[in-house]
Structures are given as structure tokens and as C-alpha cells.
């Protein structure tokens, strides 16, 4: 029996010809559909200054999602430490728990530029593509933040400075102690209601085999690894987490791994729905800011330069596109190779109804296989 839960990662994409307000309403509709379909978690990502992504305030949207659902766990993947202070993070999730009950997942991620001279994780060292037991692990993509890019501008507007990523350990400790009601100043416990005593599930998210993986493992916390955004480093990320793991919050390592998927009623329909992903993801990686997601016809009619295609080759090659059976097969390979305890899927199409249907088709196929114990 396939007992690995599926969950949803939502970036709140904005389609061409639409608006951020419509994208946000679509998120609430998708969340209701995901709960009906049996997904375990509904997580929101954080992106800024992107016309094609309305998920800039995930901690606000989380509350809206919780208000229109009743059972599915809701959370962030990830709340970026450094963009907001630890006290605010703890109080926000304590407030959400007070309003909607104990079904929130606080995913924390490191962000920002490291201090000058900080060595890169070994997982970013150049190498060729690899196929590991049927899973493509492409050459790692090293994102360099160019001056004048939207990445640099958001850092400026959020008050980021080189090296402030090193605050992560301290802010993480603060959040944990505020939830536990054990944070002290001058020998006295300082409470921060409604954070104090809030039953919030804490996760750490990372893309490389670097500090995030080490911190999550050393504290015995669950870990989120990104195959969808950094497929070339996912195995190093998971391995570093497991190597660093010491019993803490959890007695054993627990990993969720993300994947980009598009499911259609047929392979041909899925291929059609998947059009436009290359230019869209390139607009993010290039630092220009996400474009509104194009229609398939517009994507085909707009030339996509070879150098741009090469810059997102790893993302295109590792997106699982097809009918429900094919995508479920690929997810099973990802689960087997990474040893994932859970899988997190993200789907982006121009048409909202098609996006909802993609999640529904995948959930139905996953549940069918679990019910009959069908091997992949």
C-alpha cells in the first residue's frame, strides 16, 4: 500500500489577462478542492516583486485558506527568516492557531546574501547531469544575484544586508522558545501571547546540502527538500539532513520533497497545459520578475531564445508532465530515490480549472494505487 501523503505547494500564480486579486481567489478555490481530494497539507510560498506571482504575503493567505477549509493542514514553504523578525513570525502563527486550531505548519527558510568569503556548499560544484535509479539529477544551477535584479531590489526594500542570513540560528531558537514559553531576558520568562503554548508544527526548508539541512538535522526537525526548484542538489540536501540528524523534536528523520507536475486527462492535453512554463520560470531565474503565466498559444507564438532555454533546462527536464498514471510513476521514482516520507506537488497552468483538475486527477490516481496496493 502506498502510504506516502501528497501535499500542495501554491505560489499563487497570476495568469496573463488576469489579476492578483483573481489569483488570490483562485487559491481559495484550489484549497477547497485540495481538501476534498485528500491532500494532507496546503503550503504557500513567498515571492516578492513578481507580476506573475501574487504569493508575496503567505502568512496572510494562510489565514484565508484556513478560513475556507476545515481539516487540511495549512502552512508556509517557506517563511523567510530575515524578511521578518522571529517575534513577528511566532506571534503570527500563534494568532492563526488561536483562530483556526492546531493545524498549522511553519516552514522556515534561510534567505539573503551570505557574508563575504562564505564558501559555497559542495553540492553546487560543477558536474554533469546524472540519472540515479531512474531519476534525473541535473547539473546544479548556481543562482547569482546580479545588481539591479528584482532579487537585489527586494533585498534592499526588505532591509537585507550581506551576512544577515547568519541570523537564522538565533531567530529559529527565538521562535521555538516563544512557542514553548521558555524565552528569558534578565532571568525572567517573557511571554508573547498568542505564540506562547501554540501547537505549531515547525519545518526547515532548504535547497542545498548546506546550513538549513544541518540545522534541521541537528535539532531533529522535519525537513523540506526542493526537487522542483533545485533538482540538481536535492540528493545532497537530503543526505546532509540525514547525516546531521539527531533525535530531537522527531525520533527519526522526516523529509518532504517537492516536484513540479502537470496532469492532463491525456498526455496530449498535459503537454498543451504545460506550454509556457519555460518563459515563466526563466523570468524568475533571470531576476526580471515573474511574468504573468502565458496561454499555450501565446507561448508558442513568442520566440524563446536558446540561451534562455538553456538557463532553465534543468527545470524543464525535471517537470513531470503527462496523464495521471505517468506522473504518479515519476513521483514514485522521486520518492524511492530520495527516500521521501511525503511528497509536495506544485502545478502551474494558465487555466485555473485545468490546474484544479490536474490536482484532482493526481490525487485520485494516488488514492487508487494506495487502495489496491499497486506497485509503481
Amino acid at each position: 500500500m502506498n502510504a506516502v501523503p501528497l501535499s500542495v505547494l501554491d505560489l499563487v500564480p497570476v495568469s496573463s489577462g488576469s489579476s492578483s486579486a483573481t489569483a488570490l481567489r483562485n487559491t481559495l478555490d484550489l484549497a477547497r478542492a485540495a481538501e476534498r481530494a485528500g491532500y494532507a497539507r496546503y503550503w504557500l510560498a513567498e515571492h516578492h516583486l513578481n507580476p506573475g506571482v501574487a504569493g508575496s504575503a503567505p502568512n496572510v493567505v494562510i489565514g484565508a485558506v484556513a478560513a475556507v477549509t476545515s481539516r487540511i493542514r495549512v502552512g508556509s514553504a517557506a517563511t523567510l527568516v530575515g524578511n521578518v523578525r522571529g517575534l513577528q513570525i511566532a506571534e503570527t502563527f500563534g494568532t492563526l492557531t488561536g483562530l483556526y486550531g492546531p493545524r498549522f505548519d511553519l516552514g522556515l527558510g534561510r534567505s539573503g546574501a551570505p557574508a563575504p568569503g562564505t564558501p559555497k556548499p559542495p553540492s553546487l560544484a560543477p558536474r554533469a547531469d546524472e540519472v540515479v535509479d531512474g531519476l534525473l539529477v541535473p547539473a546544479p544551477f548556481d543562482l547569482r544575484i546580479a545588481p539591479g535584479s528584482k532579487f537585489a531590489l527586494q533585498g534592499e526594500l526588505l532591509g537585507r544586508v550581506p551576512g544577515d542570513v547568519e541570523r537564522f540560528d538565533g531567530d529559529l531558537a527565538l521562535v521555538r522558545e516563544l512557542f514553548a514559553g521558555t524565552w528569558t531576558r534578565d532571568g525572567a520568562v517573557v511571554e508573547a501571547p498568542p505564540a506562547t503554548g501554540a501547537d505549531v508544527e515547525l519545518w526547515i526548508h532548504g535547497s542545498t546540502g548546506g546550513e538549513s539541512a544541518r540545522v534541521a538535522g541537528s535539532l531533529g526537525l522535519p525537513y523540506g527538500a526542493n526537487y522542483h526548484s533545485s533538482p540538481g542538489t536535492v540528493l545532497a540536501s537530503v543526505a546532509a539532513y540525514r547525516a546531521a540528524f539527531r533525535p530531537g523534536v522527531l525520533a527519526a528523520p522526516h523529509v518532504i520533497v517537492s516536484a513540479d507536475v502537470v496532469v492532463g486527462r491525456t498526455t496530449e492535453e498535459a503537454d498543451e497545459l504545460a506550454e509556457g512554463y519555460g518563459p515563466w520560470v526563466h523570468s524568475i531565474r533571470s531576476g526580471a520578475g515573474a511574468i504573468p503565466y502565458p496561454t499555450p498559444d501565446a507561448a508558442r507564438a513568442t520566440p524563446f531564445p536558446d540561451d534562455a532555454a538553456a538557463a532553465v533546462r534543468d527545470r524543464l527536464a525535471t517537470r513531470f508532465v503527462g496523464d495521471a498514471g505517468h506522473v504518479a510513476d515519476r513521483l514514485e521514482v522521486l520518492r524511492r530515490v530520495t527516500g521521501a516520507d511525503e511528497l509536495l506537488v506544485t502545478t502551474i497552468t494558465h487555466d485555473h480549472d485545468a490546474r484544479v483538475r490536474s490536482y484532482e486527477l493526481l490525487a485520485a490516481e494516488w488514492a487508487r494505487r494506495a487502495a489496491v496496493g499497486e506497485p509503481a
Side-chain angles (χ1 to χ4, degrees):
M1 178 176 178
N2 188 345
V4 174
L6 289 183
S7 293
V8 173
L9 174 63
D10 185 4
L11 276 62
V12 196
V14 181
S15 297
S16 61
S18 186
S19 67
S20 293
T22 297
L24 290 163
R25 289 192 293 269
N26 286 344
T27 279
L28 302 185
D29 181 60
L30 178 59
R32 287 187 289 257
E35 183 170 74
R36 290 193 302 268
Y39 284 91
R41 308 176 192 270
Y42 196 98
W43 286 354
L44 282 300
E46 179 178 345
H47 294 83
H48 299 279
L49 305 181
N50 286 283
V53 173
S56 57
N59 294 348
V60 175
V61 182
I62 286 168
V65 168
V68 300
T69 58
S70 60
R71 301 179 308 279
I72 194 169
R73 294 192 66 85
V74 188
S76 58
T79 296
L80 300 180
V81 174
N83 291 353
V84 62
R85 296 289 182 173
L87 174 60
Q88 295 167 303
I89 294 171
E91 289 177 335
T92 296
F93 275 78
T95 299
L96 290 167
T97 301
L99 288 170
Y100 302 108
R103 57 185 178 107
F104 290 94
D105 302 326
L106 170 54
L108 295 177
R110 300 168 81 243
S111 65
T118 301
K120 292 181 180 178
S123 60
L124 289 176
R127 61 164 175 78
D129 292 356
E130 299 174 348
V131 177
V132 180
D133 196 15
L135 180 73
L136 174 62
V137 183
F141 180 85
D142 187 4
L143 177 64
R144 299 179 186 274
I145 300 177
S149 73
K150 288 291 181 65
F151 294 120
L153 180 57
Q154 70 172 273
E156 175 189 333
L157 295 176
L158 292 168
R160 307 305 302 263
V161 295
D164 70 355
V165 70
E166 309 307 328
R167 287 175 24 208
F168 183 78
D169 284 18
D171 277 351
L172 173 59
L174 172 62
V175 169
R176 296 184 72 204
E177 290 173 18
L178 289 174
F179 283 145
T182 59
W183 190 74
T184 62
R185 172 58 60 89
D186 299 328
V189 172
V190 178
E191 293 193 357
T196 305
D199 184 3
V200 176
E201 192 169 293
L202 188 61
W203 291 70
I204 305 296
H205 293 269
S207 295
T208 68
E211 275 298 289
S212 295
R214 181 196 64 79
V215 169
S218 67
L219 296 175
L221 290 167
Y223 184 63
N226 297 325
Y227 186 68
H228 87 279
S229 63
S230 188
T233 58
V234 66
L235 295 186
S237 180
V238 171
Y241 165 67
R242 292 198 173 106
F245 188 87
R246 301 293 181 272
V249 175
L250 302 176
H254 190 94
V255 178
I256 192 168
V257 177
S258 62
D260 263 313
V261 312
V262 176
V263 179
R265 290 167 291 200
T266 64
T267 299
E268 293 74 21
E269 181 183 69
D271 289 340
E272 173 76 2
L273 295 173
E275 288 282 356
Y277 184 71
W280 184 82
V281 78
H282 180 263
S283 66
I284 300 175
R285 267 199 174 173
S286 68
I291 59 173
Y293 199 89
T295 66
D297 287 343
R300 282 189 291 265
T302 304
F304 190 36
D306 290 344
D307 60 341
V312 295
R313 180 188 61 84
D314 61 326
R315 297 287 300 273
L316 291 169
T318 55
R319 195 185 196 199
F320 302 152
V321 177
D323 62 24
H326 171 76
V327 172
D329 286 345
R330 299 311 302 160
L331 286 172
E332 173 57 25
V333 172
L334 178 64
R335 183 212 60 77
R336 185 181 70 243
V337 175
T338 61
D341 303 284
E342 303 184 39
L343 293 171
L344 181 68
V345 294
T346 182
T347 297
I348 299 175
T349 62
H350 180 272
D351 181 71
H352 172 66
D353 290 340
R355 184 168 174 243
V356 172
R357 185 169 62 247
S358 174
Y359 279 108
E360 290 172 340
L361 290 170
L362 177 59
E365 173 64 12
W366 204 252
R368 184 193 68 80
R369 293 183 179 206
V372 300
E374 177 181 316

